[in-house]
Amino acid sequence: AYANKGQYDLALADFAKGASFDLKDPRPSRGRALVAWLEKDWVGAVREYTAALALAPDDVETLYNRGRAYENDQKYKEAIADFGEVLRL
C-alpha cells in the first residue's frame, strides 16, 4: 500500500520486516523490485527480481517483470532471454 502512495521508504521498511520472518519468501524481494520500478531504478529492479527468482525460479510474472526492467534499461539481450524463458515456462 505504501509503494502505491509514493511512500517508498515506508514500503521498503515493511519489505525488510517481512524478509526477516522467512528468508525463503520471494515476496519481499518482489516488493523491493516494485519500489525500484516505480522510482525508475532499473538496475535495482533487476537486482531484486533476480533475488526473488533465486527463491522461486519458475515465477513467470517475476521473470517477465525482470525482462521489462532489462528492456527499460536498454539491456535488450537480457530482456529477450527472460521473455524467451517466460514463453518456455
Side-chain angles (χ1 to χ4, degrees), residues 2 9-23 25 27-29 32:
Y2 289 126
D9 291 340
L10 293 173
L12 290 172
D14 275 358
F15 296 133
K17 212 181 305 180
S20 68
F21 292 121
D22 184 358
L23 299 177
D25 185 352
R27 289 178 296 179
S29 291
R32 288 189 298 271

